[in-house]
Amino acid sequence: MALRASSKLLRHVLNKKLISSSHISARHYASAAEAAPKIPHSSKKGRLLTGATIGLVIAGGAYVSTLDEATFCGWLFSATKLVNPFFALLDPESAHRLAVSAAARGWVPREKRPDPSNIGLQVWGRNFSNPIGLAAGFDKNAEAVDGLLGLGFGFVEVGSVTPVPQEGNPKPRIFRLPREGAIINRCGFNSEGIVVVAKRLGAQHGKRKLDETSSRSSSSTDEVKHGGKAGPGILGVNLGKNKTSEDATADYVQGVHTLSQYADYLVINVSSPNTPGLRKLQGRKQLKDLVKKVQAARDEMQWGEEGPPPLLVKIAPDLSKEDLEDIAAVALALRLDGLIISNTTVSRPDPVSKNPVAKEEGGLSGKPLLNLSTNILKEMYILTRW
């Protein structure tokens, strides 16, 4: 492609020069007695620079065209690192918004190299090409599913999605801690609502079905297919409640009824620290009542051979041992399909505590959360034996 673009550029420049030359010749013919003007030295330098630039473009295009797909893909991903400093100059939420928009428009590299077969895995009967996924919170409104899966993620989780659109908390609400490799956010479930997200996922789902139908004849039926309803990767849908809602269960049930048909798995988010009262739903009685009603809402819908999407609960990393025991008991009793560990933390472990930004309210994510979330993961594995 680069080579063709270079050829077009060269033809354009040469044609332009030929036209200019013919005009000069005509003028000289009309006034033959007039002496030909001398070409300024600066003009010669300009032509040399133009020629050198064209040569580099052609050479670059020729080189790129000779690369195999894997090498070119690796080169392209490495080249994108050059724009990272630009994003760091922007306001955090503006940078986030720009990144989502770029992915939605396909202005990001696509991973063409196949994942090694030894890192693939099967969970809930779904084939993951790799275990690395993008958590909820980045693509809140399912704008960029195709672009994000194209980056090479094994799965992408959209949301949290609320039944009714809401702005979330006042801005600014995202704060960088670059030295600590962390971010504090208090977005508060800013969402376009389930109707908008459902339309978006429905359109994407229809397009993928058409693509699958057209490509099915050219693919081997014996080949193991990775992916799910999102095409090349697994799609998770994270459900939240509205800030002003008085019936949290009704919000989650509405999310199930509207969005579960597009999801490879569903997530009940009861652990965001930025929605008042939300984390209280992690209590034993509250969580049991909530999960039972959401499961019933999912199971009463009509499903094909693959059955309903698995249901998971996302928990906080700030829970006591007793809280974890209660959650494990509910998960085992109701045969929950899984747990997501973990959401952001309201604590400020070192070295974050020494940063002035640590005084901002909200959930902390990034490197400082690693030990805390890993310990919760260990505790829940011991309690559930999953």
Side-chain angles (χ1 to χ4, degrees), residues 27-37:
R27 285 199 301 270
H28 285 182
Y29 180 77
S31 53
E34 193 175 325

Side-chain angles (χ1 to χ4, degrees), residues 54-109:
I54 293 171
L56 287 172
V57 170
I58 294 172
Y63 172 69
V64 168
S65 68
T66 62
L67 293 177
D68 62 275
E69 196 171 58
T71 304
F72 175 67
C73 197
W75 173 83
L76 193 59
F77 272 91
S78 298
T80 57
K81 295 177 182 178
L82 298 173
V83 303
N84 286 346
F86 166 73
F87 282 93
L89 297 174
L90 299 175
D91 163 77
E93 190 153 359
S94 298
H96 178 200
R97 185 66 246 153
L98 182 59
V100 173
S101 297
R105 290 165 174 77
W107 297 345
V108 292

Side-chain angles (χ1 to χ4, degrees), residues 265-287:
Y265 69 89
L266 292 168
V267 182
I268 303 173
N269 187 353
V270 291
S271 52
S272 170
N274 303 313
T275 297
L278 184 70
R279 289 193 168 190
K280 293 180 180 178
L281 296 174
Q282 295 174 115
R284 187 169 190 149
K285 181 181 185 305
Q286 296 92 326
L287 185 62

Side-chain angles (χ1 to χ4, degrees), residues 279-355:
R279 289 193 168 190
K280 293 180 180 178
L281 296 174
Q282 295 174 115
R284 187 169 190 149
K285 181 181 185 305
Q286 296 92 326
L287 185 62
K288 187 174 183 178
D289 291 344
L290 174 63
V291 172
K292 284 177 70 174
K293 290 176 181 177
V294 173
Q295 284 179 330
R298 177 200 61 176
D299 295 342
E300 71 185 10
M301 299 174 66
Q302 297 295 320
W303 300 104
E305 292 182 1
E306 62 181 8
L311 184 66
L312 294 81
V313 171
K314 187 170 186 176
I315 65 174
D318 307 309
L319 298 166
S320 67
K321 182 67 179 293
E322 292 74 18
D323 293 332
L324 296 176
E325 290 173 352
D326 286 344
I327 292 172
V330 172
L332 293 172
L334 298 182
R335 298 180 178 272
L336 199 64
D337 295 296
L339 296 168
I340 294 182
I341 302 169
S342 66
N343 214 313
T344 57
T345 178
V346 294
S347 66
R348 299 292 185 262
D350 290 333
V352 172
S353 60
K354 300 178 178 64
N355 192 313

Side-chain angles (χ1 to χ4, degrees), residues 101-117:
S101 297
R105 290 165 174 77
W107 297 345
V108 292
R110 291 193 73 85
E111 180 58 84
K112 299 292 187 180
R113 296 164 291 185
D115 289 317
S117 58

